[in-house]
């Protein structure tokens, strides 16, 4: 059986935030899992960076690991600080901005139709 969670050592404790680094003027990411029903990605955003408005095919949970993010959902801005999370509902437009450097774990969950 293949590993469903990749890019980390299994059975060994690790600091999630250490898996992705900050780089000046960039958004970095590392995919931890990508299956038909679930995608987990770690992101680091340098201050002033962001992701433009888009919609996801599933519910997206953003958990901020370090710093603080501005996450706009359907036109409403939300400040999400380290240790807090927010859910962006499937199909609803949202955007992410970095008023300061921050790291987040993004988990997108969607229904999978069985063939």
């Amino acid at each position: 059986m293949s590993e469903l969670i990749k890019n980390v050592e299994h059975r060994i404790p690790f600091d999630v935030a250490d898996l992705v680094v900050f780089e000046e003027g960039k958004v970095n990411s590392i995919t931890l899992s990508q299956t038909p029903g679930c995608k987990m990605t770690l992101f680091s955003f340098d201050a002033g960076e962001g992701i433009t408005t888009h919609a996801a095919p599933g519910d997206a949970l953003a958990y901020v690991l370090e710093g603080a993010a501005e996450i706009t959902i359907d036109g409403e801005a939300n400040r999400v600080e380290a240790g807090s999370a927010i859910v962006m509902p499937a199909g609803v437009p949202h955007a992410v901005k970095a008023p300061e450097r921050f790291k987040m774990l993004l988990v997108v969950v969607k229904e999978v139709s069985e063939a």
Side-chain angles (χ1 to χ4, degrees):
M1 181 173 165
S2 65
E3 293 179 342
L4 297 175
I5 297 178
K6 58 187 179 178
N7 295 320
V8 296
E9 290 286 332
H10 287 210
R11 301 176 186 232
I12 298 172
F14 61 93
D15 185 328
V16 175
D18 288 346
L19 296 175
V20 64
V21 297
F22 290 115
E23 284 189 68
E24 189 174 334
K26 292 188 177 183
V27 175
N28 284 331
S29 67
I30 182 172
T31 299
L32 298 180
S33 182
Q34 188 165 3
T35 66
C38 182
K39 181 175 181 181
M40 291 191 313
T41 309
L42 283 168
F43 287 92
S44 68
F45 290 75
D46 193 20
E49 297 301 316
I51 298 174
T52 59
T53 303
H54 63 286
D59 286 348
L61 179 137
Y63 177 71
V64 177
L65 301 162
E66 291 181 14
E70 181 182 298
I71 299 178
T72 301
I73 303 170
D74 206 15
E76 184 178 335
N78 301 274
R79 182 173 171 87
V80 186
E81 297 186 3
S84 295
I86 193 165
V87 173
M88 298 163 278
V92 175
H94 58 272
V96 179
K97 289 184 185 176
E100 61 187 69
R101 282 184 155 190
F102 80 94
K103 293 181 181 181
M104 76 173 178
L105 173 64
L106 180 69
V107 180
V108 180
V109 180
K110 65 179 184 175
E111 290 189 38
V112 178
S113 59
E114 294 186 32

